[in-house]
Amino acid sequence: MNQKKVAIILVVVTIASCLFTIRSIPKRTGLNTTKEQLSEVKKQIKEKRKEVKKNSPLSNDFNLVSTQREVQNNLKHAFEVTYGGLHSKEDLNTNMAMLERTLGTKLTKEILENIHRQDNFFVSKNDSTTVAFENVTDKTDAIIHVTTRYEVNGTTEEKEEQAKTYSQVYTLHYNLLNKRVLSYENERLVQN
C-alpha cells in the first residue's frame, strides 16, 4: 500500500511538472511580438545613427570653421546694428532686410520693440558685442551665445540727458546649414 501511495504521488508530481513546463514555454505570439519590437528598435537606432552622422559638423562636405566665422560675423554685425546703429526710420528701413535675414522675423521684431517707439530710438551707441559658440555637435542645432553692451539715453527731471549702460545676453539655437535662428532666450542686465 505504501508503494501505491508513493507511485500515485510520483504520477501526480510528474503530471504537475509536465503542466508547469508546458505553461512555461513562451507562446509564439508573444515571441513574435517581441521580435517585431526588437526589429523596430534596431531600425530606429540605425536611422538615428544616419541622422547623427549626417548632422555632424565633421562631415566631409561641411566646413565648420569657415561657417562659424561667417555666422559669427553676420550675427555680430546684426546685433551691433540693432543695438547702436539705428537712430532713425531711414536707418531702420535700410537695415531691415539684413536683420530679418540674419536674426529671423521673430527675434528682429522683439529687439526692435525694445529699442524704439515710433520715431524715438533709445540706443545711443554699441559698446561691445561678443558672439561665442558652444561645442558644436549638430550643425542643424548649434548653441550660440551673444552678449551685447550698449548705452541708452534717458531723460530725468534733474538731468536733461543721462546715459545708462545695458547688456543683453542671448542664447540662440542656430541652424548652421540654413543660417537661421531656430529659437532664442535672452536676459537684460542694467550696468550703469
Side-chain angles (χ1 to χ4, degrees):
M1 195 115 167
N2 265 346
Q3 285 184 352
K4 247 184 174 183
K5 284 184 180 180
V6 172
I8 292 174
I9 291 174
L10 285 175
V11 169
V12 170
V13 169
T14 304
I15 292 172
S17 295
C18 288
L19 290 175
F20 180 74
T21 303
I22 290 172
R23 279 193 122 233
S24 302
I25 296 174
K27 292 183 173 99
R28 208 68 180 142
T29 58
L31 187 58
N32 289 340
T33 304
T34 303
K35 282 183 179 179
E36 289 172 7
Q37 289 172 345
L38 183 60
S39 172
E40 185 64 30
V41 168
K42 285 181 179 179
K43 183 179 172 185
Q44 289 173 354
I45 289 171
K46 188 175 181 180
E47 288 173 1
K48 192 66 175 172
R49 279 187 181 148
K50 282 182 183 178
E51 182 182 335
V52 167
K53 187 175 181 179
K54 179 181 142 204
N55 293 337
S56 170
L58 303 176
S59 62
N60 293 335
D61 61 338
F62 187 75
N63 188 336
L64 179 62
V65 174
S66 69
T67 303
Q68 280 181 314
R69 190 177 308 122
E70 179 186 349
V71 168
Q72 186 175 24
N73 290 338
N74 291 343
L75 287 174
K76 184 173 181 170
H77 177 67
F79 277 94
E80 285 175 343
V81 167
T82 54
Y83 288 105
L86 301 176
H87 301 288
S88 67
K89 287 279 188 188
E90 292 165 353
D91 291 342
L92 179 60
N93 292 336
T94 302
N95 292 294
M96 190 63 158
M98 179 274 299
L99 294 175
E100 287 183 340
R101 184 178 57 250
T102 306
L103 303 176
T105 307
K106 187 177 176 184
L107 179 56
T108 300
K109 182 180 176 185
E110 182 178 310
I111 291 172
L112 293 178
E113 287 174 357
N114 292 332
I115 66 162
H116 80 79
R117 300 279 185 276
Q118 295 160 344
D119 290 334
N120 297 328
F121 288 81
F122 306 122
V123 179
S124 61
K125 72 176 187 171
N126 185 293
D127 290 337
S128 66
T129 298
T130 306
V131 178
F133 283 82
E134 282 190 12
N135 187 20
V136 179
T137 58
D138 184 348
K139 61 189 173 189
T140 62
D141 189 10
I143 298 174
I144 304 172
H145 300 283
V146 179
T147 304
T148 188
R149 186 172 174 203
Y150 56 96
E151 287 184 15
V152 175
N153 288 329
T155 58
T156 62
E157 291 179 8
E158 296 94 32
K159 297 181 181 178
E160 191 172 305
E161 290 285 328
Q162 180 183 9
K164 287 188 176 181
T165 303
Y166 293 91
S167 289
Q168 291 278 350
V169 180
Y170 287 87
T171 301
L172 308 176
H173 285 264
Y174 197 88
N175 185 326
L176 294 173
L177 288 175
N178 301 336
K179 295 183 177 71
R180 287 186 0 193
V181 175
L182 302 172
S183 64
Y184 62 91
E185 295 175 12
N186 74 314
E187 185 177 336
R188 183 176 184 191
L189 308 169
V190 179
Q191 294 177 336
N192 260 350

